[in-house]
Coordinates of all heavy atoms in Angstrom, one line a residue:
Chain B
S9 N -18.3 -19.7 19.0 CA -17.7 -18.5 19.4 C -18.5 -17.2 18.8 O -18.6 -16.2 19.5 CB -16.3 -18.3 19.0 OG -16.1 -18.7 17.7
Q10 N -19.0 -17.4 17.6 CA -19.7 -16.2 16.9 C -18.8 -15.1 16.6 O -19.0 -14.4 15.6 CB -20.9 -15.7 17.8 CG -21.6 -14.5 17.3 CD -21.1 -13.2 17.9 OE1 -21.0 -12.2 17.2 NE2 -20.9 -13.2 19.3
N11 N -17.7 -14.9 17.4 CA -16.8 -13.8 17.1 C -15.5 -14.2 16.4 O -14.6 -13.4 16.2 CB -16.4 -13.1 18.4 CG -15.9 -14.1 19.4 OD1 -16.1 -15.3 19.3 ND2 -15.2 -13.5 20.4
K12 N -15.5 -15.5 15.9 CA -14.4 -15.9 15.1 C -14.2 -15.1 13.9 O -13.1 -14.8 13.4 CB -14.5 -17.4 14.7 CG -14.1 -18.4 15.7 CD -12.5 -18.4 15.9 CE -12.2 -19.3 17.0 NZ -10.8 -19.0 17.5
R13 N -15.4 -14.7 13.3 CA -15.3 -13.9 12.1 C -14.6 -12.5 12.4 O -13.8 -12.0 11.6 CB -16.8 -13.6 11.6 CG -16.9 -13.0 10.2 CD -18.3 -12.5 9.9 NE -18.3 -11.3 9.2 CZ -18.4 -11.1 7.9 NH1 -18.6 -12.2 7.2 NH2 -18.3 -9.9 7.3
E14 N -15.0 -11.9 13.5 CA -14.4 -10.7 13.9 C -12.9 -10.8 14.2 O -12.1 -9.9 13.8 CB -15.2 -10.1 15.1 CG -14.8 -8.7 15.6 CD -15.2 -7.7 14.5 OE1 -16.1 -8.0 13.6 OE2 -14.7 -6.6 14.5
Q15 N -12.6 -11.9 14.8 CA -11.2 -12.2 15.1 C -10.4 -12.4 13.8 O -9.2 -11.8 13.7 CB -11.1 -13.6 15.9 CG -9.8 -13.7 16.7 CD -9.7 -15.1 17.3 OE1 -10.7 -15.7 17.5 NE2 -8.5 -15.5 17.5
I16 N -10.9 -13.1 12.8 CA -10.3 -13.1 11.5 C -10.0 -11.8 10.9 O -9.0 -11.5 10.4 CB -11.2 -14.0 10.5 CG1 -11.2 -15.5 10.9 CG2 -10.7 -13.8 9.1 CD1 -12.2 -16.3 10.1
L17 N -11.1 -10.9 11.0 CA -10.9 -9.5 10.4 C -9.8 -8.8 11.1 O -9.0 -8.1 10.5 CB -12.2 -8.8 10.5 CG -13.3 -9.3 9.6 CD1 -14.6 -8.6 9.8 CD2 -12.9 -9.1 8.1
E18 N -9.7 -8.9 12.4 CA -8.7 -8.2 13.2 C -7.3 -8.7 12.8 O -6.4 -7.8 12.6 CB -8.9 -8.4 14.7 CG -9.5 -7.2 15.4 CD -10.0 -7.7 16.8 OE1 -9.2 -8.2 17.6 OE2 -11.2 -7.4 17.1
I19 N -7.1 -10.0 12.8 CA -5.8 -10.5 12.4 C -5.5 -10.2 11.0 O -4.4 -9.8 10.7 CB -5.9 -12.1 12.6 CG1 -6.0 -12.5 14.1 CG2 -4.6 -12.7 12.0 CD1 -6.4 -13.9 14.3
A20 N -6.5 -10.3 10.1 CA -6.2 -10.0 8.7 C -5.8 -8.5 8.5 O -4.9 -8.2 7.7 CB -7.4 -10.3 7.8
E21 N -6.5 -7.6 9.2 CA -6.2 -6.2 9.0 C -4.8 -5.9 9.4 O -4.0 -5.2 8.7 CB -7.2 -5.3 9.9 CG -6.9 -3.8 9.7 CD -7.9 -2.9 10.4 OE1 -9.1 -3.2 10.1 OE2 -7.5 -2.0 11.1
R22 N -4.4 -6.4 10.6 CA -3.0 -6.2 11.0 C -2.0 -6.7 10.0 O -1.0 -6.0 9.6 CB -2.8 -6.9 12.4 CG -2.3 -5.9 13.5 CD -2.0 -6.7 14.8 NE -3.1 -7.5 15.2 CZ -3.0 -8.8 15.3 NH1 -1.9 -9.4 15.0 NH2 -4.0 -9.5 15.8
I37 N -3.4 -16.5 8.6 CA -4.6 -15.9 9.4 C -5.3 -17.0 10.2 O -5.5 -16.9 11.4 CB -5.6 -15.3 8.4 CG1 -5.0 -14.1 7.6 CG2 -6.9 -14.9 9.1 CD1 -5.9 -13.6 6.5
I38 N -5.5 -18.2 9.6 CA -6.2 -19.2 10.3 C -5.3 -19.8 11.4 O -5.8 -20.2 12.4 CB -6.7 -20.4 9.3 CG1 -5.6 -21.1 8.6 CG2 -7.7 -19.8 8.3 CD1 -6.0 -22.2 7.7
A39 N -4.0 -19.8 11.1 CA -3.1 -20.3 12.2 C -3.2 -19.5 13.4 O -3.3 -20.0 14.6 CB -1.7 -20.3 11.7
E40 N -3.2 -18.1 13.2 CA -3.3 -17.3 14.4 C -4.7 -17.3 15.0 O -4.8 -17.1 16.3 CB -2.9 -15.8 13.9 CG -2.4 -15.0 15.1 CD -2.1 -13.5 14.7 OE1 -1.6 -13.4 13.5 OE2 -2.3 -12.6 15.4
A41 N -5.7 -17.5 14.2 CA -7.1 -17.4 14.8 C -7.4 -18.8 15.4 O -8.4 -19.0 16.1 CB -8.1 -17.1 13.7
G42 N -6.6 -19.8 15.1 CA -6.9 -21.2 15.6 C -8.0 -21.8 15.0 O -8.8 -22.5 15.7
I43 N -8.2 -21.7 13.7 CA -9.3 -22.3 13.0 C -8.7 -23.1 11.8 O -7.6 -22.9 11.5 CB -10.4 -21.4 12.5 CG1 -9.8 -20.3 11.7 CG2 -11.2 -20.8 13.7 CD1 -10.8 -19.5 10.9
R65 N -15.5 -2.6 7.4 CA -15.3 -2.5 8.8 C -14.4 -1.3 9.1 O -14.7 -0.5 10.0 CB -14.5 -3.8 9.3 CG -14.5 -3.9 10.8 CD -13.8 -5.3 11.2 NE -12.4 -5.0 11.5 CZ -11.8 -5.1 12.7 NH1 -12.6 -5.5 13.7 NH2 -10.6 -4.8 12.9

Side-chain angles (χ1 to χ4, degrees):
Chain B
S9 47
Q10 175 262 137
N11 53 340
K12 275 288 174 199
R13 191 191 140 99
E14 190 63 20
Q15 201 188 335
I16 291 172
L17 290 173
E18 255 165 54
I19 293 166
E21 182 173 310
R22 237 184 309 116
I37 295 172
I38 63 177
E40 202 180 327
I43 55 166
R65 194 180 94 113

